[in-house]
Amino acid sequence: RLVRARLVVDAGGFGLRDLQHLPMLRNIITLGRGVFPEVTSSVTVVRAPSAVETLFGAVRPCLTPVMHRKVAILGDDFAEGLRRHAGVEMAALPTYLGGAFPSGARDG
């Protein structure tokens, strides 16, 4: 049975200084092109500042059409977009993202 992952990535705190990692990200995307569509149902980036949009614009040409459809970049008000894109309810997230599950150090 194939397990499909729905990834929710917290991009809070990401800044332009992090763009230095763009070459490494491109290499990871290139390596993952063959398996990403098979195991990942969706990748939803939440709390994304404008630098994440900039980064996504730079790597978008490296993505296959299937990969591109599976990625959504959302800002701070992400509940509806997360539900629509990934079918994930806020309650399934850790408390530091507004959900119901404690996640260790970030929750104090």
Side-chain angles (χ1 to χ4, degrees):
R1 177 179 156 196
L2 181 63
V3 175
R4 308 285 307 242
R6 292 180 190 335
L7 303 177
V8 178
V9 179
D10 176 17
F14 187 90
L16 290 176
R17 70 187 179 286
D18 299 308
L19 292 179
Q20 68 183 333
H21 303 294
L22 183 60
M24 181 177 59
L25 182 59
R26 283 190 177 144
N27 288 337
I28 291 168
I29 290 170
T30 300
L31 290 173
R33 288 175 76 145
V35 260
F36 177 84
E38 297 301 322
V39 297
T40 305
S41 178
S42 64
V43 176
T44 310
V45 181
V46 300
R47 300 190 332 154
S50 60
V52 173
E53 283 290 342
T54 301
L55 176 62
F56 187 62
V59 299
R60 184 175 293 159
C62 300
L63 303 177
T64 66
V66 170
M67 290 171 76
H68 184 261
R69 283 191 301 274
K70 292 184 179 191
V71 177
I73 310 295
L74 306 173
D76 289 327
D77 187 18
F78 58 86
E80 181 56 34
L82 180 63
R83 185 178 309 108
R84 189 173 52 250
H85 180 255
V88 174
E89 297 293 331
M90 289 295 291
L93 298 180
T95 54
Y96 75 90
L97 287 176
F101 291 96
S103 60
R106 287 192 180 191
D107 293 318

